[in-house]
Amino acid sequence: MRSIESAPVELRDIGHAYGTGELARPVLRDVNLSVGPGEIVLLTGPSGSGKTTLLTLIGALRAVQQGSATVLGQQLAGAGEKQRVALRRRIGFIFQQHNLLGFLSARQNVAMALEMDGRTSERERLERAGAMLESVGIGDRAESMPANLSGGQRQRVAVARALAGNPGLILADEPTAALDKQSGGEVVRLLRELAKRQGVPILLVTHDPRILDIADRIVAMEDGRITATEAGASAAG
């Protein structure tokens, strides 16, 4: 078992409910999970099984109600909003919808992720954004507006944006759901390559059976609990 110090994500006995009192509806129950450096873990299961709620707790988008959650060395149980905001800046988020700003170019959308770093100038941020777009294979579309990019290209911009700040962890929620088979495959292969090259762990929620082969581990959830864990094809290979 990995130690808390070495695991970017270490969850113990996590529970979460929506509502209070008699109206409380449990959505997570006694969840235990570790994610190691550079590891790609897929969360699967039916809708309503708690996958996205778990992802938002790990991403410090919700407060921990029950149990222990250590993410990138930060204990989230009892953490205040200021601490959670600081942690969120160290995490790259990728969602089903790319959430790009339509009035900004691909380069400008990526550069926005660096604006919280007061040590870099606008020119440096734009140069770094261009380099990130090169790394995801669309450096030649850096000045394109989102409306002029394909779905797969827009999601590549979202990946570049998530990686621009050198995050310690990537959290992805259905990143291929809106993409065709070819584009979805390209995006997940890109994520796998970057995770292994940079040692950044990825926790990815998916219903997409086409991408199971990128995983080191596949974690199945149902009714708010982890029901099964198995080695993925990537680990086996």
Side-chain angles (χ1 to χ4, degrees), residues 12-235:
R12 289 289 174 260
D13 303 320
I14 290 293
H16 197 82
Y18 293 144
T20 57
E22 294 182 357
L23 298 177
R25 179 173 64 88
V27 290
L28 294 174
R29 312 163 191 264
D30 301 318
V31 172
N32 294 279
L33 178 67
S34 296
V35 180
E39 188 177 24
I40 301 176
V41 176
L42 302 192
L43 287 177
T44 66
S47 296
S49 59
K51 305 183 301 297
T52 295
T53 297
L54 184 60
L55 204 71
T56 59
L57 284 173
I58 294 169
L61 297 170
R62 301 180 190 274
V64 172
Q65 294 176 350
Q66 178 184 329
S68 169
T70 305
V71 179
L72 301 180
Q74 171 68 57
Q75 174 57 248
L76 290 176
E81 180 63 16
K82 184 176 180 180
Q83 292 170 301
R84 294 200 301 273
V85 168
L87 178 59
R88 289 198 292 268
R89 292 174 180 165
R90 301 169 58 202
I91 297 173
F93 295 91
I94 305 170
F95 300 103
Q96 176 178 339
Q97 300 299 326
H98 50 75
N99 296 326
L100 302 181
L101 295 177
F103 57 89
L104 296 179
S105 69
R107 184 196 301 271
Q108 290 168 326
N109 267 283
V110 175
M112 280 191 64
L114 301 169
E115 287 189 355
M116 298 305 296
D117 185 353
R119 299 168 297 178
T120 59
S121 67
E122 181 178 3
R123 179 179 176 180
E124 290 171 325
R125 291 193 295 270
L126 290 170
E127 288 178 350
R128 188 165 170 183
M132 288 307 307
L133 290 169
E134 287 282 355
S135 76
V136 301
I138 54 170
D140 60 332
R141 304 305 304 272
E143 307 311 322
S144 298
M145 306 302 281
N148 297 324
L149 299 173
S150 68
Q153 288 171 335
R154 288 194 290 269
Q155 196 64 305
R156 282 174 177 257
V157 176
V159 170
R161 181 181 58 190
L163 292 166
N166 293 321
L169 172 67
I170 296 288
L171 300 179
D173 192 1
E174 299 282 6
T176 65
L179 303 177
D180 60 31
K181 181 177 181 180
Q182 180 177 345
S183 296
E186 291 172 354
V187 167
V188 295
R189 284 193 296 273
L190 173 66
L191 286 172
R192 178 176 58 190
E193 291 167 6
L194 293 171
K196 298 309 178 185
R197 186 166 70 239
Q198 299 182 10
V200 178
I202 296 175
L203 187 60
L204 190 154
V205 167
T206 186
H207 286 102
D208 190 345
R210 303 171 301 177
I211 68 173
L212 298 182
D213 62 348
I214 75 162
D216 295 307
R217 264 189 304 147
I218 301 170
V219 176
M221 294 187 67
E222 187 170 351
D223 194 28
R225 301 179 188 275
I226 291 177
T227 57
T229 301
E230 61 182 86
S234 182

